[in-house]
């Protein structure tokens, strides 16, 4: 079983919103074969608590403004700003402070799951502009 098309679309939109706020190490992991409760994890990190919160806010804003409006069923960890989890049922977003990302190593925990490619559109546009 692979991640649903909706989960992939949400993850890609959320990843771009995170990239727009300068999130680091953005990874989309298809966990649908391992977990029954969700299809995709989005992992992103930031060097400070304020940026973690800004990334989370940008993701929420982007997904609620999609034509099919996505709102998180649950939001955890915002007060501390070290690790915020947004649960969209098909997609679970983890935005972590860089230290938490390194310590908890979710990337390693789910390393056997396939990743879904994500390319920051701003980088693509910048490279295209530089090539001209």
């Amino acid at each position: 079983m692979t991640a649903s098309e909706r989960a992939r679309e949400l993850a890609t939109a959320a990843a771009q919103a995170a990239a727009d706020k300068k999130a680091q190490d953005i990874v989309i992991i298809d966990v649908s074969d391992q977990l029954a409760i969700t299809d995709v994890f989005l992992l992103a990190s930031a060097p400070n608590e304020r940026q973690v919160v800004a990334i989370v806010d940008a993701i929420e804003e982007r997904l609620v403004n999609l034509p099919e409006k996505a709102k998180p069923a649950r939001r955890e960890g915002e007060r501390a700003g070290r690790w915020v989890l947004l649960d969209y049922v098909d997609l679970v977003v983890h935005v972590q402070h860089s230290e938490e990302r390194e310590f908890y190593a979710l990337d390693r925990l789910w390393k056997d799951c396939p990743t879904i490619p994500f390319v920051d559109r701003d980088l693509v546009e910048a490279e295209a502009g530089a090539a001209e």
Side-chain angles (χ1 to χ4, degrees):
M1 182 177 190
T2 61
S4 69
E5 190 61 34
R6 172 153 170 82
R8 289 171 171 269
E9 289 171 6
L10 288 175
T12 303
Q16 188 58 58
D20 292 346
K21 287 294 180 180
K22 309 298 182 220
Q24 301 168 344
D25 302 321
I26 299 169
V27 179
I28 304 172
I29 304 173
D30 181 342
V31 295
S32 60
D33 284 341
Q34 303 295 322
L35 291 175
I37 58 172
T38 193
D39 284 353
V40 176
F41 279 172
L42 169 64
L43 309 177
S45 53
N48 61 63
E49 291 86 352
R50 182 176 281 173
Q51 191 174 3
V52 167
V53 172
I55 292 165
V56 168
D57 290 345
I59 291 170
E60 279 192 298
E61 184 178 332
R62 177 79 46 92
L63 296 188
V64 80
N65 287 317
L66 290 174
E68 60 279 347
K69 294 193 190 303
K71 294 175 95 174
R74 199 172 83 225
R75 184 178 178 148
E76 305 265 339
E78 182 182 18
R79 189 165 293 160
R82 302 285 296 181
W83 181 349
V84 180
L85 181 144
L86 298 173
D87 183 353
Y88 288 92
V89 183
D90 294 337
L91 164 69
V92 175
V93 177
H94 299 269
V95 182
Q96 299 173 295
H97 188 285
S98 300
E99 293 169 359
E100 268 69 8
R101 178 83 178 259
E102 187 177 332
F103 182 79
Y104 290 101
L106 295 179
D107 307 76
R108 281 196 310 258
L109 182 63
W110 298 101
K111 71 177 187 276
D112 293 336
C113 295
T115 58
I116 297 171
F118 167 71
V119 178
D120 180 355
R121 71 167 181 257
D122 292 339
L123 289 178
V124 172
E125 290 171 5
E127 289 174 2
E132 291 176 1

